[in-house]
Amino acid sequence: MKLKITSALFSFAFISHVFSADPTAKVDTVWTGAASDAWADSVNWSLGLPSDKKVANTVIRSGSGQVGPVITTSGNTTEGQVYIMSGGSLVIKKEGALTTAGNFVTGNNGHAGMTEVNGGTLTVSGVILIGHNGFQGSLKIDSGTVNAEGLSIHEAGAAKIVLVGTGKLILSNSEENLRNVRYWIDNSKLITAQGTDASMEYSVDVDTEKQPGKIVISVWSGK
């Protein structure tokens, strides 16, 4: 079954993040970019790699002269949530892969930069929250793949998800996810980048048959 743009009801749950003490004394690790843009280099993090069991959450935000992290290798994982905060950004390149233990949140406390999945893979064990609290923090999937249990895009802000080329967004197949996807398509929060061939029509394709139990969202193009 392939679904085109139709109106639907919308439900959205806000998830706030409060940096608080943890009974196990875990602490957030913050991106510093001290040595390079390499995600997998522990020197670039305040408390070591996000996969360390001592880490509570992963925080990426802007800093003086700081470059954002770039993932070019497979096998990268995180503890807790990932927060792309004010001024922060993330790039996952071809052959790069990241799997999070919790939610992936952009724009939590201010306007965040772009998260770009350029041929790589992002797997979120929880929910992707785009433009949380109404701030910027878009996700661009350019010939890469993003997997998640659920998805929320803040209705009030400018943040959105952009699919390019063979980019795919894959969600668990539920009535809530399907209803929300339809709503975001209708309201230009989930879009495709216009192709170079002006004679072609580009739109969002929503398919519930390609993968059992999944909603596969991709670019549809045709005359």
Side-chain angles (χ1 to χ4, degrees):
M1 177 180 65
K2 293 191 177 182
L3 303 171
K4 298 307 173 186
I5 301 174
T6 55
S7 61
L9 297 175
F10 172 71
S11 63
F12 183 87
F14 287 96
I15 300 178
S16 298
H17 173 58
V18 178
F19 295 94
S20 58
D22 186 284
T24 59
K26 291 187 175 183
V27 179
D28 294 339
T29 190
V30 180
W31 174 258
T32 65
S36 66
D37 64 2
W39 171 288
D41 188 343
S42 61
V43 176
N44 291 320
W45 297 94
S46 65
L47 194 66
L49 291 174
S51 58
D52 194 301
K53 296 299 181 183
K54 299 190 298 294
V55 170
N57 301 292
T58 299
V59 177
I60 301 171
R61 60 191 180 206
S62 64
S64 179
Q66 176 182 301
V67 295
V70 177
I71 297 176
T72 58
T73 59
S74 62
N76 299 284
T77 62
T78 74
E79 293 291 309
Q81 326 292 337
V82 175
Y83 293 93
I84 311 297
M85 304 184 82
S86 179
S89 64
L90 173 64
V91 176
I92 304 177
K93 292 188 175 182
K94 187 177 181 180
E95 308 301 334
L98 174 66
T99 299
T100 75
N103 298 331
F104 187 96
V105 186
T106 73
N108 190 59
N109 71 333
H111 295 311
M114 182 82 72
T115 295
E116 299 183 60
V117 182
N118 296 334
T121 303
L122 170 62
T123 301
V124 178
S125 299
V127 177
I128 299 176
L129 295 104
I130 299 297
H132 192 46
N133 292 333
F135 294 108
Q136 294 178 13
S138 293
L139 169 63
K140 181 180 179 182
I141 310 172
D142 187 350
S143 302
T145 302
V146 174
N147 304 277
E149 291 301 308
L151 171 68
S152 286
I153 306 174
H154 200 287
E155 188 174 16
K160 61 188 64 177
I161 294 178
V162 182
L163 294 167
V164 182
T166 58
K168 290 183 178 64
L169 172 62
I170 303 175
L171 305 174
S172 294
N173 192 348
S174 68
E175 288 187 13
E176 181 179 9
N177 278 342
L178 198 54
R179 181 173 63 247
N180 288 342
V181 164
R182 290 168 174 168
Y183 179 89
W184 293 316
I185 292 172
D186 278 348
N187 289 274
S188 300
K189 290 290 188 177
L190 179 50
I191 66 173
T192 63
Q194 183 64 39
T196 56
D197 186 347
S199 70
M200 300 289 283
E201 178 187 350
Y202 296 85
S203 61
V204 179
D205 179 52
V206 182
D207 193 297
T208 58
E209 295 180 343
K210 288 178 180 176
Q211 295 186 32
K214 301 293 183 181
I215 303 169
V216 179
I217 307 160
S218 60
V219 178
W220 179 89
S221 61
K223 297 289 183 179

